[in-house]
Amino acid sequence: MLGHIARSLGRPKLLQSSLHSIRPVSMMPLWPLSSQPRDFSQPNSTWSPEMCKVYNHYNALCDTDTENGEKKRVPWRKLPSYNRSIKYATGGIHLSKMIKAQARLFTRNFKEQGATFEYVVFVNKEEKRCVCVFQAGHLLEGAPGYVHGGAIATMIDTVTGTLAGFLSGPIMTANLNINYRNPMPLGSVVLIHSALDQIERKKQYITCKVTSTDESKLYTEATALFVAISVDHLFGSQN
Amino acid sequence: MLGHIARSLGRPKLLQSSLHSIRPVSMMPLWPLSSQPRDFSQPNSTWSPEMCKVYNHYNALCDTDTENGEKKRVPWRKLPSYNRSIKYATGGIHLSKMIKAQARLFTRNFKEQGATFEYVVFVNKEEKRCVCVFQAGHLLEGAPGYVHGGAIATMIDTVTGTLAGFLSGPIMTANLNINYRNPMPLGSVVLIHSALDQIERKKQYITCKVTSTDESKLYTEATALFVAISVDHLFGSQN
């Protein structure tokens, strides 16, 4: 819950910093934690050839410079991904200052590259959908040799919440309904497809499916419900 | 999915070693990884007074020695919890030997105590239910100051799967349906109550709710469906 509220806080109307901002790094001068936060969704040496291939495919669909040096307008955008929450968030009423300072995003809390969640999200605003390329590391084990159902649920919450936050601003997860169709071996590279189903006032219904990179094999299907919230829920009202 | 198959593999009819064995450490002489695997569900210095208090409450309900030096038969049992899968599991067909050797259970993959999932599960066989005491560390963040929805889903999958595996042997998660009612601050200590709802042939329906330790506040409600599988799904058939 509340897993993705901060993703859209980077929008100009709200705040200049975010957990999962939708804005490129170069547009975040007020990031409070360092002058140049690390974007964890950049390729690294632990990415398999399959992961790199799919990344390159979607990356090629994103903004590119034209011959005039200007950005070509395309519907796809790669979202950066950081590992820290914003510095001045008050958090829960039971939260100590120590915990606040040390807190890290669950999916980016591991220093060792390739060990847990390697992923990058590409979003298509026109079609109201996104695609995540996810490589499951060896520390995500559930049954021997397979990815833990909770790790898959975590990625589904992350990707559907990223889309919901991108489309509507701060949201909280209200429901996740996940059907596990096939076990996912550790080390797999998969696509997590997420699309807006419908909006009813403050409610966003999102669909999700997890497939092999060639989309021939279905691992998981899910629906998610997010509710738009006021940013006041996060900042100041509980301190 | 498959997140809990191995929990019941410690039963005599199957194998002598397990991921989440239901047998006490002293009854696992054939554990293949070390002579004395660490039980991660033992109290440590990062447990808050609230965590310790609830642990002591449920621990007092478990097996105790009588004046004759024999075990008193009671319905409650504390389950140990390890961080490695069994050594000879073959895992998925794409699994490299390196990944196999380095793989760790998702909920026990962090060396730093208190940083992520601190939990212990007590099971009541007669009443077909269990209670997990869970303390959420600072590296489980979703929205600023709050636990990630995926981390809560992970614990729900873990606890409901532990109960299903305890009651029926090897199972795989087929469905998780999770309603998030209130955000959970980082550092919270909560109870995760899980109970068998019904069994239909190979299907087990489990209910789950996550509450404050005094049960006055409801954080999350969920249902889970598990399907009994053959142990052949895990061992040997894919190598």
Side-chain angles (χ1 to χ4, degrees):
Chain A
M1 73 193 69
L2 280 170
H4 312 288
I5 292 172
R7 288 206 181 80
S8 59
L9 298 183
R11 292 181 173 184
K13 289 180 183 175
L14 296 170
L15 292 166
Q16 292 294 317
S17 312
S18 76
L19 183 62
H20 265 200
S21 172
I22 60 169
R23 311 178 70 200
V25 173
S26 60
M27 294 176 68
M28 299 179 64
L30 298 186
W31 179 262
L33 305 168
S34 72
S35 58
Q36 186 71 13
R38 175 182 160 199
D39 177 3
F40 281 74
S41 65
Q42 296 290 346
N44 66 58
S45 62
T46 69
W47 285 21
S48 68
E50 184 181 10
M51 178 85 171
C52 293
K53 181 181 175 184
V54 184
Y55 171 84
N56 289 333
H57 168 77
Y58 282 98
N59 204 40
L61 302 176
C62 296
D63 288 343
T64 52
D65 291 332
T66 65
E67 291 180 355
N68 301 327
E70 296 176 347
K71 290 286 182 189
K72 192 174 72 175
R73 298 291 295 174
V74 292
W76 286 95
R77 184 186 299 185
K78 172 186 172 297
L79 304 187
S81 174
Y82 309 108
N83 75 337
R84 292 202 69 172
S85 178
I86 47 183
K87 195 177 183 180
Y88 41 85
T90 58
I93 53 176
H94 305 296
L95 197 63
S96 73
K97 287 185 178 179
M98 187 192 75
I99 286 179
K100 245 191 286 190
Q102 295 183 334
R104 293 292 183 279
L105 181 66
F106 180 41
T107 55
R108 299 298 193 188
N109 67 11
F110 230 87
K111 289 181 180 174
E112 182 189 348
Q113 288 182 333
T116 57
F117 301 96
E118 290 291 338
Y119 66 96
V120 51
V121 178
F122 296 93
V123 68
N124 186 317
K125 191 172 183 179
E126 288 182 7
E127 298 177 9
K128 294 181 173 52
R129 68 184 179 99
C130 69
V131 174
C132 171
V133 191
F134 167 46
Q135 179 178 294
H138 55 277
L139 299 190
L140 301 183
E141 192 171 53
Y146 293 96
V147 182
H148 196 293
I152 297 169
T154 296
M155 284 307 302
I156 288 171
D157 188 30
T158 295
V159 177
T160 55
T162 295
L163 179 64
F166 182 83
L167 296 174
S168 297
I171 43 87
M172 64 178 287
T173 316
N175 175 264
L176 289 178
N177 192 344
I178 304 171
N179 287 304
Y180 297 94
R181 304 299 189 194
N182 280 293
M184 184 188 298
L186 286 177
S188 294
V189 177
V190 299
L191 296 179
I192 305 173
H193 311 263
S194 184
L196 177 67
D197 185 25
Q198 58 175 315
I199 293 181
E200 292 177 1
R201 295 174 178 261
K202 291 188 175 183
K203 294 180 180 176
Q204 273 192 81
Y205 296 86
I206 309 276
T207 60
C208 186
K209 64 176 182 173
V210 184
T211 70
S212 56
T213 56
D214 64 3
E215 302 188 33
S216 66
K217 181 162 189 171
L218 178 65
Y219 289 110
T220 319
E221 287 178 302
T223 59
L225 169 61
F226 295 91
V227 178
I229 62 165
S230 162
V231 74
D232 294 341
H233 283 210
L234 282 179
F235 302 99
S237 59
Q238 294 182 334
N239 262 16
Chain B
M1 75 191 68
L2 281 170
H4 311 289
I5 293 174
R7 286 205 183 82
S8 59
L9 298 184
R11 293 180 173 185
K13 289 180 182 174
L14 297 170
L15 292 164
Q16 292 294 318
S17 312
S18 76
L19 183 62
H20 266 199
S21 171
I22 58 169
R23 311 177 71 201
V25 173
S26 60
M27 294 175 67
M28 299 180 64
L30 298 186
W31 180 264
L33 304 168
S34 71
S35 57
Q36 186 73 12
R38 175 182 160 200
D39 178 3
F40 282 74
S41 66
Q42 295 291 345
N44 65 60
S45 62
T46 70
W47 285 21
S48 68
E50 184 181 10
M51 179 84 171
C52 293
K53 181 181 175 185
V54 184
Y55 171 84
N56 288 334
H57 168 76
Y58 282 99
N59 205 40
L61 301 177
C62 296
D63 288 343
T64 53
D65 291 331
T66 64
E67 291 181 356
N68 301 326
E70 295 176 349
K71 291 285 183 188
K72 193 174 72 175
R73 297 290 295 175
V74 292
W76 285 95
R77 184 186 298 185
K78 172 185 172 297
L79 304 187
S81 173
Y82 309 107
N83 74 337
R84 292 202 69 172
S85 178
I86 46 181
K87 194 176 183 181
Y88 41 84
T90 57
I93 53 176
H94 305 295
L95 196 65
S96 73
K97 286 185 178 178
M98 188 190 73
I99 287 179
K100 244 189 286 189
Q102 294 182 335
R104 293 291 182 280
L105 181 66
F106 180 40
T107 55
R108 299 296 193 189
N109 66 12
F110 229 86
K111 288 181 181 174
E112 182 188 347
Q113 289 182 332
T116 57
F117 300 97
E118 290 290 339
Y119 66 97
V120 51
V121 178
F122 296 92
V123 68
N124 186 318
K125 192 171 183 179
E126 288 182 7
E127 298 177 8
K128 293 182 173 54
R129 68 184 181 98
C130 69
V131 174
C132 171
V133 190
F134 167 45
Q135 178 177 293
H138 56 276
L139 299 188
L140 301 183
E141 193 172 54
Y146 293 96
V147 181
H148 196 293
I152 297 169
T154 296
M155 284 308 301
I156 289 171
D157 187 31
T158 295
V159 177
T160 55
T162 295
L163 179 64
F166 182 83
L167 295 175
S168 297
I171 44 86
M172 65 178 287
T173 316
N175 175 265
L176 288 178
N177 192 346
I178 304 171
N179 287 303
Y180 297 94
R181 304 298 188 194
N182 281 292
M184 184 188 297
L186 286 177
S188 294
V189 177
V190 299
L191 296 180
I192 306 173
H193 311 263
S194 183
L196 177 67
D197 185 25
Q198 58 175 315
I199 294 181
E200 293 176 1
R201 294 173 178 260
K202 290 187 174 182
K203 295 180 180 177
Q204 273 192 81
Y205 296 86
I206 309 276
T207 61
C208 186
K209 64 176 182 173
V210 184
T211 71
S212 55
T213 56
D214 65 2
E215 302 188 34
S216 66
K217 182 161 190 172
L218 178 66
Y219 289 110
T220 319
E221 286 178 302
T223 59
L225 169 60
F226 295 91
V227 178
I229 62 164
S230 162
V231 74
D232 293 341
H233 283 210
L234 282 180
F235 301 100
S237 60
Q238 293 182 335
N239 260 19

